[in-house]
Amino acid sequence: MATPTHNRGTHNSSGSNKPNKFTSAGAAAGGFVGGLGSSIAPPINITLNRTTNNGSGSGGGAQGNRPHSEALLPSPEFASPAQVRQYCNTLRTAAVTLSIEVAMGAEILKGVLAAVPDPQGRAFGSRIRAQKVARKMQRSADSLRDAAKNAAACYSAFQQEFEEEINRVRHRARRPQVPQMNWSQQ
């Protein structure tokens, strides 16, 4: 009868001749998860949209493909309450979007500038200088957020101040009432 032999690499650290049953368990689990991982990965869809600006505008060069302010806001024609509402809503939407973008830019700027070594070798010197610079950009983001609030407040003030004129037009715009037959007169 053959006696079982143990591999020397499977002995535990106490020095006994018992094999360590957990040494190959990690490898087995890793192989299982690795093999299974590709089968349960969620599908990823990537959609690319490319917008080309074929208009010939002024200011070529690096910013030739950037949208101009005319692309952000409609023309300021206020011939009806609907145009006032549309302009204020578009301004509010653009200001909120720009506010978020500028706030993210401020955080990125602060992180990049904090990594620059301080010339005097002060501890946290670069972080303090980066915070001073990024604070100005953060204030720009706050101002854009305030612009969005003021755009919404503008339309609200318009509705309050010109309520009588708006209601007068709304009254005329309603459907005329159909004459009712009076059955009591016979």
Side-chain angles (χ1 to χ4, degrees), residues 8 20 25 30 56 61 63 72 89 100 109 118 155-156 174:
R8 293 182 187 197
N20 190 347
S56 59
Q63 293 183 348
L72 293 176
N89 282 342
I100 293 169
L109 179 67
D118 188 50
Y155 183 67
S156 177
R174 290 184 188 156

Side-chain angles (χ1 to χ4, degrees), residues 76-88 155 158 166 169:
E77 297 174 2
F78 304 115
S80 70
Q83 287 179 332
V84 174
R85 184 183 68 243
Q86 179 195 15
Y87 191 85
C88 290
Y155 183 67
F158 168 73
I166 292 171
V169 173

Side-chain angles (χ1 to χ4, degrees), residues 101-113 131 134 137-138:
E101 291 288 328
V102 172
M104 285 177 33
E107 289 298 317
I108 293 169
L109 179 67
K110 183 170 49 172
V112 168
L113 293 180
Q131 180 63 33
M137 192 175 291
Q138 184 60 46

Side-chain angles (χ1 to χ4, degrees), residues 128-175:
I128 294 169
R129 294 185 314 151
Q131 180 63 33
K132 286 180 182 178
V133 173
R135 186 179 303 133
K136 299 296 183 184
M137 192 175 291
Q138 184 60 46
R139 284 185 183 165
S140 297
D142 294 342
S143 296
L144 284 166
R145 190 186 68 229
D146 292 340
K149 290 178 187 177
N150 286 329
C154 175
Y155 183 67
S156 177
F158 168 73
Q159 283 184 315
Q160 290 174 358
E161 294 296 326
F162 293 93
E163 180 179 12
E164 184 179 331
E165 288 85 356
I166 292 171
N167 287 338
R168 199 177 316 138
V169 173
R170 280 185 185 162
H171 188 313
R172 261 191 275 144
R174 290 184 188 156
R175 236 184 299 156

